[in-house]
Every structure is written in C-alpha cells, then in structure tokens.
Amino acid sequence: MPLAALRTVVTLVAALVLALPAAVAHATPASDVVTSLNSSIIRIMQNAKTLGYKGRYKEFEPILTRTFDMPFMAERSIGRKWAELSPAQKNKVIDTFRRYTTALYASRFDSYSNQKFEIVGERANPNENGATVVRNQFIDSKGKIVNIDYVVRTVSGRSMAFDVYLNGSISEVAVRRSEFATIVNNQGVDALVAQIEQRIAAVEEESIKKGG
C-alpha cells in the first residue's frame, strides 16, 4: 500500500477510535431516560398548536409517568408527615402530584421555534447514594441556555428521574416541599390536595386562554 494511502487509513481509524468514547459517553441508562424525555418534549412542542393544551396533556401523561418516580417525589415533597398518611391519602397525593406535574409540562411546552436539548455529561450525586445527575441543557432559538439537570436512580431495575435542578441549584422537589409540607403541617393533607387541584385548574384555564 502506498505510504500516502496508509497514512489516510491510519488517520481515519484514529479519528473513529477517538470519536467512539464521546459517542457512547451519554449512552447510559440514566442519560437514555433524559434523551427519551427530551425527544418527546420536542415532538410535542412541534405539534403544540395542533394538539392544544388537552392534547399536550394527554401526550405528556404516560411519558412523565414512566420517566419520573412520582411516588418517591410526592413523598419527598410532603416530608416527615408522609409516614402519618393512610395508604388512601398517599395514593391521592401521588395522583394529584402526577396530574399537577403533567399540567405544568403541557402548559410550559406550548410552542416550537427551533429550540433544542443537549446532554452535556453526567456526574455522581454525592447526596444520593447510587444516583446520577444528568447534565442537560435547553437552548432556545436565540441560543440562550437554561440548565435543566435530572437526578436519576434505579427503581426495580428501571432508571427513573426523581428530581430536577434548574440552573444547577434549584431543586424542584425542595421547592415543592417548602410549600407542600407547610400546608400539610398547618392544614392537613386534604387541604393540600384541594390547593393542588385548584392549581391544576388554573394552569389549564390560563393555557386555554392563551390559545391552547
């Protein structure tokens, strides 16, 4: 083989070898969960106006149920009082929490203008044994970046997210716990469920007013 051709082959092989780790770096169970969610969000955004709020809600519901560990997130959002709730009360809180989360996604992702997501890496979460933080970015049409990181763990053999960090520091579960735990402690779980139901209705009403 001529020397020039040999150099070309070596260069190509080296390039492929160097590219391989980067390609598989995100192919982990934790990142797969976020990749799937990102793709689903973009697809729904692209069809947002056709779907309308109720259509987006219907699309998001099964996606978010399989992506997030809703029972665990609901428990953490309630705090210590969770142990005092009856099974029926726990199920009611989980269901209301799930529907509220779905309503927020259906409301927020209501249009598409070339936005995109990008996973930029992973790291272990020192505060959660065995959990992985998937570093994820939402990039709008003007190039503005919002960091939306997901904390993922294995639940019964499946990778599921159980918290979301906005800009790397604001925990969604912690924010909800600061609100929900106070209501449960002062007014009881029924009052919390009623208030979340009101929020769900308000989100739907506002979204439909905006044109769906």
Side-chain angles (χ1 to χ4, degrees):
M1 179 182 292
L3 182 58
L6 180 60
R7 285 175 177 170
T8 300
V9 171
V10 171
T11 300
L12 287 173
V13 171
L16 288 171
V17 171
L18 288 172
L20 184 59
V24 301
H26 295 159
T28 67
S31 286
D32 285 347
V33 169
V34 180
T35 297
S36 178
L37 177 60
N38 287 346
S39 298
S40 297
I41 292 174
I42 293 297
R43 175 180 58 79
I44 292 171
M45 289 171 68
Q46 289 171 335
N47 297 282
K49 297 308 179 185
T50 301
L51 289 167
Y53 171 81
K54 291 185 178 180
R56 295 194 302 274
Y57 184 101
K58 186 176 180 180
E59 290 281 327
F60 269 122
E61 193 166 26
I63 294 166
L64 299 179
T65 298
R66 68 173 177 260
T67 299
F68 291 103
D69 186 356
M70 297 288 186
F72 188 61
M73 294 174 75
E75 177 181 349
R76 286 204 158 185
S77 296
I78 297 298
R80 295 179 180 178
K81 284 286 185 179
W82 183 261
E84 301 175 15
L85 303 184
S86 69
Q89 287 175 317
K90 289 178 180 178
N91 287 335
K92 184 64 175 176
V93 171
I94 292 167
D95 179 66
T96 310
F97 184 95
R98 176 186 56 78
R99 290 188 294 109
Y100 182 45
T101 300
T102 305
L104 291 176
Y105 270 76
S107 173
R108 290 170 180 168
F109 297 106
D110 61 351
S111 63
Y112 180 72
S113 55
N114 296 314
Q115 303 97 321
K116 64 180 181 179
F117 288 98
E118 183 175 330
I119 294 177
V120 295
E122 293 183 357
R123 63 177 176 82
N125 187 338
N127 300 318
E128 301 284 352
N129 186 33
T132 300
V133 178
V134 180
R135 297 171 54 228
N136 185 56
Q137 294 180 339
F138 178 73
I139 306 168
D140 70 14
S141 57
K142 296 180 180 179
K144 180 181 178 182
I145 295 174
V146 178
N147 293 310
I148 306 175
D149 299 342
Y150 293 84
V151 188
V152 181
R153 67 173 187 156
T154 301
V155 182
S156 301
R158 291 178 54 202
S159 292
M160 303 186 79
F162 65 91
D163 203 353
V164 183
Y165 279 81
L166 183 64
N167 288 323
S169 61
I170 304 172
S171 160
E172 179 181 333
V173 169
V175 169
R176 291 188 180 180
R177 183 167 59 241
S178 69
E179 299 178 77
F180 294 177
T182 300
I183 296 170
V184 172
N185 290 336
N186 295 334
Q187 302 175 51
V189 69
D190 291 338
L192 173 64
V193 169
Q195 289 195 35
I196 298 176
E197 292 284 6
Q198 290 173 3
R199 294 186 188 188
I200 294 171
V203 167
E204 178 175 355
E205 182 180 0
E206 182 63 26
S207 294
I208 292 174
K209 275 184 180 179
K210 286 168 56 181

